[in-house]
Amino acid sequence: MNTIIKEDFKIITGGITAPKGFQAAGNHIGIKKYKKDLAIIFSKIPANASAVFTKNKLKAPPLLWCEKLIKNEEKIQAIVINSGNANACTGQRGYDDAVKTAQTLAQSLNINQNSILATSTGVIGVYLPMKNMIEGIKATVPMLSDDKKSANACAEAILTTDTFTKTITLEIDIEGTPVKIAGIAKGSGMIHPNMATMLNFITTDLNISKPLLDKAFKSNIEESFNMITVDGETSTNDMAVILANGCAQNPIIDKEDINYHKFKNALQYILIYLAKSIVKDGEGATKTIECTIDGAKSKEDAKILCKAILNSNLVKTAFFGKDANWGRIISAMGATCLDFDPNNAKISFISAKGNITLFENGTPVEFDEDLALQILSENEIKVIVNLKDGNAQITGWGSDLTYDYVKINAEYRS
Amino acid sequence: MNTIIKEDFKIITGGITAPKGFQAAGNHIGIKKYKKDLAIIFSKIPANASAVFTKNKLKAPPLLWCEKLIKNEEKIQAIVINSGNANACTGQRGYDDAVKTAQTLAQSLNINQNSILATSTGVIGVYLPMKNMIEGIKATVPMLSDDKKSANACAEAILTTDTFTKTITLEIDIEGTPVKIAGIAKGSGMIHPNMATMLNFITTDLNISKPLLDKAFKSNIEESFNMITVDGETSTNDMAVILANGCAQNPIIDKEDINYHKFKNALQYILIYLAKSIVKDGEGATKTIECTIDGAKSKEDAKILCKAILNSNLVKTAFFGKDANWGRIISAMGATCLDFDPNNAKISFISAKGNITLFENGTPVEFDEDLALQILSENEIKVIVNLKDGNAQITGWGSDLTYDYVKINAEYRS
């Protein structure tokens, strides 16, 4: 993940409708008071799809619907997303509402309901307002377009309390054919009281077999969305999906050749970009912390240590306070009870202002407090932990813990 | 733990020197600027001892010394505790300093150094000021006394940024002989930047065999200190120890008879009292949350679910915000990925102001928002989760997450 070859793709504008054959729309249908709350993504032809869903035991009903379609290897032609209501903890009625949502869109688009993913984000434990949903979907379908404005409206309509839209578009070249890949995301954590969810939607006009689309997507997820944390909470509605409709008409990718790796590499860039955007827009966050564990015995160990650091409230408040507190980092690692030798460990901080080593060979290193303060005053800080214990490496991203996190999450539900 | 028979003991005054044969002292020796920073507990005769130590991989050097003595089943005659410096992450020199501390006290008291536990709490990564330690120990030994004032001074000297001393004394009757048990504790979490540790010291004049002392202590620890959380952080210096010197001269307890259970029951009351005091004095805490998981498949499952709730930043901020947010509770439980059926779960809140059920049989229950606000405005709130899935039950304690937690932990090291 640290070896993305940027030469193999170019970053372009356009958004989720840049890949050929995709249209999108975003509309306000009255679930939220004023903001857009319904998004539709549509592919002219059914697309190969791959998806991952929250591991939370309380998977929201719409995710059960989506999961069923993905499990049955249905080709997917449309995604409908409402924001403002997560349709979570709503039982059988919630599931029926998700199916009804897909049916409504199927009728409007005159396509098979089993080709429609329906998902939700917002308040937990409230039934979907189905009158708004049905009328809203019917009103939004005519707005579907492949222009940039519609792509932006779609990216906006999936947000809850995010402070900015998250979107990225890349172009790669497959045997002389230009192929586009685009992604949108909405904010992490459970931002507002009772609000949930991280959502990610990727479109591409690449012609790729379903098994290889799955492989590229899922292996990249592990080192992007699965390596970020804002507050260690896994929502009931977390989901990421990619649609590949083949409209670019490149020679099909059906083996792990150079073209596959070119695509996988570009997709990885997109997923990490979106993952980092989510962290940057985390609840009350003032800083993005990039933590790399190097020299670990195994990747699994590295992941556990990395997440222990990024999830520690004490580490997070120290970064908010610009405190070069290596003690909390080593203690958070120690608390995992993993088998590593702290006497070999080295801890350094890097930012645009320079770098310092704070801890080495089991003991504190004297460091320049002024330089440390300068480094920690930046908005993007890298923590490098070298365990000198093996060859495994991982990078993850998190944020600081601030007054605003408490404020945002302690507000009485209104 | 919910079946403590209060009739079997009485709560008395006196503190850690109330049990016969124990003396204590607390003094200021210059590690901290103004506050007491050295405590000694002394038993006239060597005592049976049992102890538990942090599971953090970065166990502080003094704990390695203590652990060695406990492992060798040494009888313990004194404990020396300094506050203001944790002697953690200090390597071999830190270990040598801990041994030297024990040696110094051994010489002053004219007892075996292998009967002396030496432990520390405070800043991580700074070497102990051994001149202060050596001179301070010599100056403090003559202050040892069994009076209440010395017991209080001792309870005070182990604190770091705790806001109050934590002490309790009970009396039980063993075959007509009065036996006393007393405990002191210092605050949880890593309260000040780089500060660490939960420490607990229990004295009793009970005559009990070492194996049964171990059994009573360790089984009680599981449902007291191991069931509290302030910020999910396990310090480098956490430790709890009990000394039983037999000075009450009761017929020895060497089997699990009624007398053993009478003692175990009283000890459990002490440990839960101290554990709850630590939570109450947690960093920036305004509320104590008591969470009971009932009807779980196994005790292990119940523990994981209970801690997931108490450690969730979203749950903690909701309590700070007086928000009856069952959605965050059920989501925190779901995120554990344990096998339980949310469709059977019931969630209720109880405080001095009344009780309400918010969630039952997989769906939200309509509740009186005014009553909920009243219940959540109290300082002590009980969360009852019934899974209706089995017979296992557990109770744990945590606190809310507040602006002051962030403030305390984000302050730049001074």
Side-chain angles (χ1 to χ4, degrees):
Chain A
M1 144 212 56
N2 290 317
T3 54
I4 285 176
I5 308 145
K6 279 210 185 182
E7 292 69 34
D8 270 357
F9 58 77
K10 56 181 179 188
I11 298 171
I12 58 170
T13 56
I16 197 132
T17 57
K20 278 185 196 161
F22 284 99
Q23 295 184 330
N27 196 12
H28 175 247
I29 65 163
I31 302 175
K32 294 185 195 162
K33 268 188 188 162
Y34 308 109
K35 291 182 179 172
K36 290 193 178 67
D37 47 19
L38 188 82
I40 300 176
I41 299 167
F42 173 60
S43 171
K44 283 183 192 166
I45 60 167
N48 281 332
S50 181
V52 291
F53 301 97
T54 184
K55 290 187 177 114
N56 192 307
K57 183 86 187 165
L58 273 97
K59 211 168 275 179
L63 273 74
L64 299 176
W65 166 255
C66 295
E67 207 169 30
K68 186 181 131 191
L69 300 187
I70 296 293
K71 206 174 164 188
N72 291 345
E73 303 205 351
E74 301 282 356
K75 291 226 172 191
I76 300 299
Q77 200 165 355
I79 309 174
V80 51
I81 312 111
N82 74 276
S83 60
N85 183 316
N87 191 9
C89 296
T90 45
Q92 184 61 41
R93 181 168 152 191
Y95 185 79
D96 295 343
D97 286 346
V99 177
K100 182 76 191 160
T101 300
Q103 278 170 347
T104 304
L105 184 57
Q107 282 158 10
S108 290
L109 289 169
N110 198 25
I111 60 174
N112 182 346
Q113 74 176 60
N114 288 338
S115 73
I116 298 179
L117 302 176
T119 189
S120 302
T121 175
V123 181
I124 291 180
V126 178
Y127 296 116
L128 267 187
M130 287 310 292
K131 193 166 171 291
N132 296 60
M133 289 296 290
I134 291 166
E135 289 173 8
I137 287 167
K138 287 177 184 166
T140 307
V141 165
M143 300 162 74
L144 282 166
S145 156
D146 60 5
D147 63 18
K148 203 179 155 187
K149 203 177 142 197
S150 302
N152 288 345
C154 176
E156 205 184 311
I158 65 171
L159 306 181
T160 50
T161 53
D162 303 56
T163 65
F164 54 86
T165 55
K166 293 149 194 82
T167 182
I168 182 167
T169 318
L170 298 188
E171 186 177 310
I172 54 174
D173 177 285
I174 302 291
E175 308 284 342
T177 306
V179 167
K180 289 171 185 144
I181 320 165
I184 57 173
K186 81 157 282 273
S188 84
M190 301 170 70
I191 300 167
H192 205 63
N194 271 349
M195 289 280 180
T197 311
M198 169 169 89
L199 294 179
N200 302 278
F201 304 103
I202 319 291
T203 56
T204 179
D205 47 18
L206 182 72
N207 187 17
I208 183 170
S209 73
K210 160 86 174 147
L212 284 184
L213 180 68
D214 266 338
K215 187 161 187 180
F217 191 56
K218 288 181 182 167
S219 63
N220 279 336
I221 289 281
E222 275 310 305
E223 301 201 354
S224 55
F225 296 123
N226 286 351
M227 285 310 296
I228 62 171
T229 175
V230 170
D231 53 12
E233 308 276 348
T234 306
S235 148
T236 50
N237 291 52
D238 288 341
M239 165 173 175
V241 57
I242 183 167
L243 304 185
N245 68 8
C247 287
Q249 297 188 299
N250 59 287
I252 190 164
I253 296 178
D254 56 6
K255 56 182 180 295
E256 292 185 47
D257 56 10
I258 188 170
N259 293 322
Y260 169 81
H261 286 288
K262 202 182 265 188
F263 165 65
K264 182 167 179 268
N265 182 48
L267 183 58
Q268 189 167 48
Y269 184 87
I270 287 185
L271 299 186
I272 289 177
Y273 175 89
L274 293 175
K276 286 171 78 170
S277 299
I278 286 170
V279 167
K280 198 174 164 190
D281 201 14
E283 300 150 314
T286 69
K287 289 178 195 305
T288 303
I289 315 302
E290 178 175 303
C291 177
T292 298
I293 305 289
D294 211 343
K297 278 201 181 102
S298 69
K299 204 148 209 163
E300 205 39 56
D301 278 16
K303 267 187 198 179
I304 292 167
L305 293 168
C306 186
K307 288 191 179 177
I309 292 169
L310 292 171
N311 276 327
S312 158
N313 279 350
L314 290 174
V315 170
K316 287 155 71 83
T317 46
F319 278 113
F320 176 51
K322 300 168 192 170
D323 178 6
N325 201 315
W326 57 268
R328 293 185 186 175
I329 291 175
I330 197 87
S331 179
M333 290 166 62
T336 63
C337 300
L338 282 188
D339 181 30
F340 71 96
D341 187 354
N343 293 320
N344 290 336
K346 179 178 172 181
I347 301 176
S348 311
F349 290 171
I350 305 177
S351 81
K353 286 284 159 49
N355 73 78
I356 40 167
T357 294
L358 307 135
F359 185 80
E360 198 162 11
N361 302 325
T363 44
V365 174
E366 285 214 21
F367 61 87
D368 179 344
E369 290 271 1
D370 289 338
L371 176 61
L373 184 58
Q374 278 181 48
I375 289 171
L376 293 174
S377 295
E378 291 292 300
N379 293 336
E380 296 195 6
I381 296 156
K382 290 183 188 191
V383 177
I384 314 284
V385 179
N386 196 326
L387 298 173
K388 298 173 193 166
D389 223 12
N391 295 313
Q393 197 222 43
I394 200 97
T395 297
W397 298 270
S399 57
D400 54 348
L401 176 60
T402 70
Y403 296 120
D404 277 351
Y405 177 89
V406 177
K407 185 172 158 60
I408 292 165
N409 285 299
E411 270 173 8
Y412 193 70
R413 277 165 310 144
S414 50
Chain B
M1 139 216 57
N2 290 315
T3 54
I4 285 177
I5 307 144
K6 280 210 185 184
E7 292 68 36
D8 269 357
F9 58 79
K10 56 182 180 190
I11 298 170
I12 58 171
T13 58
I16 197 133
T17 57
K20 280 185 192 161
F22 284 99
Q23 295 185 330
N27 197 9
H28 175 246
I29 66 164
I31 302 176
K32 293 185 196 161
K33 268 188 187 160
Y34 308 109
K35 291 181 178 172
K36 290 192 177 69
D37 48 18
L38 189 82
I40 300 176
I41 299 166
F42 173 61
S43 171
K44 284 184 191 164
I45 60 168
N48 282 332
S50 182
V52 290
F53 302 96
T54 184
K55 290 188 178 112
N56 193 307
K57 183 87 187 165
L58 273 98
K59 213 168 271 179
L63 273 75
L64 299 176
W65 166 254
C66 295
E67 208 170 29
K68 186 181 130 191
L69 301 186
I70 295 293
K71 208 175 162 186
N72 291 345
E73 303 206 351
E74 300 282 354
K75 290 222 174 196
I76 300 302
Q77 201 165 357
I79 308 174
V80 51
I81 311 110
N82 74 276
S83 59
N85 183 318
N87 191 9
C89 296
T90 45
Q92 185 60 43
R93 179 166 155 193
Y95 186 79
D96 295 343
D97 286 347
V99 177
K100 181 79 192 155
T101 300
Q103 278 169 349
T104 304
L105 184 58
Q107 281 156 12
S108 290
L109 289 168
N110 197 25
I111 61 174
N112 182 346
Q113 73 176 61
N114 288 337
S115 73
I116 296 179
L117 302 177
T119 188
S120 302
T121 175
V123 181
I124 292 180
V126 179
Y127 296 117
L128 266 187
M130 287 310 293
K131 193 166 172 291
N132 295 59
M133 289 295 291
I134 291 166
E135 289 173 8
I137 287 168
K138 286 176 184 163
T140 308
V141 164
M143 299 163 77
L144 283 167
S145 155
D146 60 6
D147 63 19
K148 202 179 155 185
K149 205 177 142 197
S150 303
N152 288 345
C154 176
E156 205 184 313
I158 64 170
L159 305 183
T160 50
T161 53
D162 303 55
T163 65
F164 55 86
T165 56
K166 294 150 194 78
T167 182
I168 183 169
T169 318
L170 298 188
E171 186 176 308
I172 54 174
D173 177 283
I174 302 291
E175 308 284 341
T177 307
V179 167
K180 286 169 187 145
I181 320 165
I184 57 173
K186 84 157 279 276
S188 83
M190 302 170 69
I191 298 167
H192 206 61
N194 271 347
M195 290 279 182
T197 312
M198 169 170 88
L199 294 178
N200 301 279
F201 304 103
I202 319 290
T203 56
T204 179
D205 48 18
L206 182 72
N207 187 17
I208 183 171
S209 72
K210 159 86 174 149
L212 284 185
L213 180 68
D214 265 338
K215 187 161 186 178
F217 191 56
K218 288 179 182 169
S219 64
N220 279 336
I221 288 281
E222 275 309 305
E223 301 201 353
S224 55
F225 295 123
N226 285 351
M227 285 310 296
I228 63 171
T229 174
V230 171
D231 52 12
E233 308 276 347
T234 306
S235 150
T236 50
N237 291 51
D238 289 341
M239 165 176 176
V241 57
I242 183 168
L243 304 184
N245 68 6
C247 288
Q249 296 188 301
N250 58 287
I252 189 166
I253 296 178
D254 56 6
K255 56 183 180 297
E256 292 185 48
D257 57 11
I258 189 168
N259 293 323
Y260 168 80
H261 286 289
K262 203 183 264 188
F263 165 65
K264 182 168 180 269
N265 182 49
L267 182 59
Q268 189 169 45
Y269 185 86
I270 286 183
L271 299 187
I272 289 178
Y273 175 89
L274 293 176
K276 285 171 78 170
S277 299
I278 286 169
V279 167
K280 198 173 163 189
D281 201 14
E283 300 151 314
T286 68
K287 290 178 194 304
T288 303
I289 315 301
E290 178 176 301
C291 178
T292 299
I293 305 289
D294 210 345
K297 277 202 182 101
S298 70
K299 204 148 209 162
E300 205 40 56
D301 278 14
K303 268 187 196 178
I304 292 168
L305 292 169
C306 187
K307 288 190 177 179
I309 293 169
L310 293 170
N311 276 326
S312 158
N313 279 351
L314 289 174
V315 171
K316 289 156 69 84
T317 46
F319 279 113
F320 177 51
K322 300 169 191 169
D323 178 6
N325 202 316
W326 57 268
R328 293 186 186 173
I329 291 176
I330 197 89
S331 181
M333 291 167 62
T336 63
C337 300
L338 282 186
D339 181 31
F340 71 97
D341 187 354
N343 292 319
N344 290 336
K346 179 179 172 181
I347 302 176
S348 312
F349 290 172
I350 305 177
S351 82
K353 286 283 158 52
N355 73 77
I356 40 166
T357 293
L358 306 134
F359 186 82
E360 196 161 12
N361 302 324
T363 44
V365 174
E366 284 215 22
F367 60 86
D368 178 344
E369 290 272 2
D370 289 340
L371 175 61
L373 184 59
Q374 278 182 50
I375 289 170
L376 293 174
S377 295
E378 292 291 299
N379 294 335
E380 297 195 5
I381 297 157
K382 291 184 188 188
V383 178
I384 314 285
V385 179
N386 196 326
L387 299 173
K388 299 174 193 165
D389 223 11
N391 296 312
Q393 197 221 44
I394 199 96
T395 296
W397 298 269
S399 58
D400 54 350
L401 175 60
T402 70
Y403 296 120
D404 278 352
Y405 176 90
V406 177
K407 185 173 158 61
I408 291 165
N409 284 300
E411 269 172 10
Y412 194 68
R413 276 164 309 144
S414 51

